[in-house]
Amino acid sequence: MVNLLHILMSVSLISLQVRPWILRRPALGLYDRLMVELRAEDPASFVNFLRMPPEMFDELRERLTPRLEVLHHTRETLAPGLKLAVALRHFATRHSYSAMKFSWRMPHNTISVIVREVCAAIQAEYMDELLPCPTTPQEWLQVADLYHRRWNFPHVLGAVDGKHVAIRCPANSGTQYYNYNGFYSILLFALVDGDYKFLWADVSGDGAASDAQVYNDSELKRRIEDGSIGFPDPAPIPNDDRNMPYFLIGDDAFGLKSTMMKPYSRRNLTQEERIYNYRLSWARRVVENAFAILAQRFAIFVRMQHKPDTAREITKTCLLLHNLMHL
């Protein structure tokens, strides 16, 4: 009897602490009202709202439900779909948690926890499925064939480049996150195929690091050099009988190797070298376009008001969502 009385008093105290406008979430919140209206009346606006169609949202919700069905720290059970929608809206708009709390009718600290929960759930559910780096010659040959057909450059196994993701200045970090462009960032370094899909990514770099530094320290380079990544054996390119290695393509920041092609220096170029530079630039811009598509789809890449660790988790999650939309 004493225990029951204690429980009832605790529940009553929690209810008194919750502000009335939060308690009206089921009747007036975005998830239960606006999203239902958009789904039924204006699917295009639903896509604009969450950056994905209703069918894809439903698939995500269904697959993530077992991972998101946990009792929240506020002792309130939040629907997995609500959690997913809150996180996706944050990625799509970069609205602060304090700004989102009124429209979603939940405390800003609850939103903070939800975003991290959703990031962890998406990565656990989709990482191996949506960001698998090829490991066999047959898989790499499919990448090379796509590059050749779409971008007219044979033997390319992907384009590499880095993108500085702007973040707020971390406390007591000095110049660790301050990049040469004059803002604080983490470095997203990625390998992209000919269809703007990410094959491999590294978000461990700080803003002060360069693309070449991250690549030289990466598992990707180590596996390429020790042969464990499964690159195909050299073979002739079209209209030639000499064996040519398969390779990645990058910009001037990278060292020239048999597994990494880069442009010729721009000084005193021959006509053949100019043509080569043009065609390599045409093929290499795929990775830059992939970054642009990512930033256009998820406005949070304009500037993340997060600490580096959270920014890295959000970046990895958005890469998976990007690849999901390119299936």
Side-chain angles (χ1 to χ4, degrees):
M1 184 67 181
V2 175
N3 289 337
L4 178 59
L5 181 60
H6 178 72
I7 293 173
L8 292 175
M9 290 178 63
S10 299
V11 172
S12 300
L13 181 61
I14 292 171
S15 299
L16 289 174
Q17 291 174 341
V18 178
R19 297 179 180 178
W21 58 270
I22 293 178
L23 294 175
R24 288 191 286 271
R25 183 195 309 126
L28 300 174
L30 292 180
Y31 181 70
D32 296 285
R33 291 297 299 271
L34 179 62
M35 285 182 58
V36 172
E37 294 171 358
L38 294 179
R39 178 190 291 269
E41 302 170 7
D42 193 351
S45 292
F46 187 101
V47 174
N48 188 32
F49 187 71
L50 291 185
R51 299 299 190 266
M52 64 176 57
E55 299 77 18
M56 185 172 292
F57 176 81
D58 292 341
E59 176 193 335
L60 273 170
R61 180 183 58 191
E62 181 177 348
R63 290 188 56 173
L64 297 178
T65 289
R67 300 182 185 275
L68 295 177
E69 274 185 337
V70 295
L71 190 64
H72 204 261
H73 75 291
T74 60
R75 302 186 182 181
E76 177 188 11
T77 302
L78 300 176
L82 171 61
K83 293 182 178 181
L84 178 61
V86 168
L88 292 177
R89 185 61 179 168
H90 179 58
F91 303 157
T93 62
R94 76 182 184 96
H95 290 166
S96 69
Y97 299 154
S98 295
M100 293 177 65
K101 70 180 182 180
F102 298 110
S103 55
W104 291 94
R105 294 177 180 265
M106 62 177 62
H108 69 277
N109 56 332
T110 300
I111 297 175
S112 174
V113 173
I114 286 173
V115 168
R116 292 194 295 270
E117 285 181 1
V118 171
C119 286
I122 290 176
Q123 290 177 43
E125 182 70 24
Y126 284 100
M127 183 64 75
D128 294 338
E129 177 181 334
L130 295 179
L131 200 62
C133 186
T135 56
T136 66
Q138 293 73 25
E139 292 173 336
W140 284 114
L141 286 172
Q142 293 177 5
V143 177
D145 179 64
L146 177 62
Y147 251 103
H148 191 191
R149 287 186 290 104
R150 182 163 294 183
W151 302 104
N152 197 26
F153 206 115
H155 282 220
V156 176
L157 300 179
V160 293
D161 200 6
K163 172 183 173 57
H164 286 277
V165 178
I167 62 173
R168 71 182 184 189
C169 175
N172 304 316
S173 62
T175 60
Q176 179 180 358
Y177 294 94
Y178 194 75
N179 63 52
Y180 63 88
N181 290 316
F183 59 90
Y184 294 90
S185 66
I186 59 171
L187 182 60
L188 163 61
F189 185 81
L191 171 67
V192 176
D193 73 4
D195 194 32
Y196 307 113
K197 289 177 62 177
F198 293 93
L199 298 176
W200 176 89
D202 185 311
V203 296
S204 63
D206 301 329
S210 67
D211 295 352
Q213 276 181 282
V214 174
Y215 175 67
N216 290 335
D217 294 337
S218 70
E219 181 187 8
L220 177 66
K221 183 182 180 183
R222 179 185 62 77
R223 293 184 60 196
I224 290 174
E225 291 182 343
D226 65 20
S228 62
I229 202 166
F231 277 4
D233 293 330
I237 62 174
N239 303 318
D240 199 353
D241 58 1
R242 294 169 294 179
N243 284 339
M244 171 72 71
Y246 288 83
F247 48 81
L248 308 180
I249 53 177
D251 59 20
D252 290 324
F254 302 96
L256 180 64
K257 293 189 175 183
S258 61
T259 54
M260 176 69 74
M261 294 290 106
K262 58 181 287 186
Y264 283 102
S265 172
R266 297 183 181 181
R267 302 176 63 180
N268 303 318
L269 294 178
T270 66
Q271 181 65 15
E272 289 78 8
E273 290 170 344
R274 292 180 185 274
I275 294 173
Y276 166 84
N277 276 5
Y278 172 79
R279 293 184 60 182
L280 184 139
S281 176
W282 177 262
R284 194 191 64 81
R285 73 174 187 172
V286 172
V287 63
E288 297 176 351
N289 291 346
F291 289 146
I293 294 170
L294 184 70
Q296 184 179 36
R297 176 171 287 145
F298 301 111
I300 196 166
F301 284 99
V302 174
R303 181 182 176 86
M304 294 195 190
Q305 298 293 335
H306 292 287
K307 297 178 180 179
D309 289 346
T310 303
R312 290 187 171 99
E313 296 307 309
I314 291 175
T315 298
K316 288 187 287 186
T317 302
C318 289
L319 292 181
L320 294 175
L321 294 173
H322 169 94
N323 278 3
L324 179 64
M325 296 175 198
H326 277 72
L327 288 180

